[in-house]
């Protein structure tokens, strides 16, 4: 599939890639530390951020707050194609965080280690493989809000 063509599809591209992943991707057992707590999870994806929306308008973080100094982390565990099909609206309205195969955390940092079969994506772009450490820099970005 041509990546430039997919980007033109906008949020629909995220849905297509998600369906493709469910059909052909073997879920990976990830080793990670959230803050200093070690865990190992077999999952479809790990999403983290500080804002309400993820790629393509997905809402898969629970009560994100861009000024609380914490990452909002969502782990989508062993989802099947049927799980996705029956919960598709919940991916866009934010209710997916209440699914029994989804867990959420608030943390200052997440470290994912030695995941040799993993692709690391940031804002839709592949940024690496294997391991990743993400931390919050408190008050590093100033927001300007236009109140009308």
């Amino acid at each position: 599939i041509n990546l430039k063509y997919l980007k033109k599809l906008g949020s629909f591209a995220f849905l297509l890639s998600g369906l493709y992943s469910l059909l052909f991707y073997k879920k990976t057992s990830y080793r990670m530390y959230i803050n200093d707590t070690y865990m190992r999870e077999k999952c479809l994806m790990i999403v983290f951020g500080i804002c309400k929306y993820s790629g393509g308008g997905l809402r898969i973080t629970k009560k994100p707050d861009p000024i609380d100094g914490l990452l909002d982390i969502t782990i989508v565990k062993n989802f099947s194609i049927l799980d996705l099909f029956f919960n598709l609206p919940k991916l866009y309205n934010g209710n997916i965080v209440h699914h029994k195969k989804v867990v959420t955390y608030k943390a200052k940092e997440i470290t994912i280690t030695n995941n040799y079969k993993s692709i690391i994506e940031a804002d839709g772009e592949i940024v690496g493989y294997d391991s990743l450490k993400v931390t919050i820099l408190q008050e590093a970005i100033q927001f300007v809000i236009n109140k009308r």
Side-chain angles (χ1 to χ4, degrees), residues 3 11-12 17 22 29 45 79 87 89-90 97-98 101 103 111 113 118 130 136 142-143 145 147:
L3 290 178
S11 63
F12 188 64
S17 64
L22 283 170
S29 183
M45 72 175 114
F79 249 49
N87 292 284
K90 292 180 181 180
V97 297
H98 304 297
K101 293 182 181 178
V103 292
T111 304
T113 60
S118 298
D130 185 28
I136 289 287
Q142 298 287 322
F143 288 94
I145 300 171
K147 293 184 179 182

Side-chain angles (χ1 to χ4, degrees), residues 83-100:
D83 288 325
L84 180 67
F85 179 75
F86 288 116
N87 292 284
L88 194 57
K90 292 180 181 180
L91 285 169
Y92 291 92
N93 68 21
N95 288 326
I96 197 68
V97 297
H98 304 297
H99 192 280
K100 66 182 178 183

Side-chain angles (χ1 to χ4, degrees), residues 30-44:
Y30 290 93
R31 294 179 294 279
M32 69 191 98
Y33 292 87
I34 295 180
N35 288 329
D36 292 322
T37 303
Y38 175 78
M39 54 186 77
R40 186 178 189 133
E41 290 285 351
K42 188 172 187 177
C43 57
L44 176 64

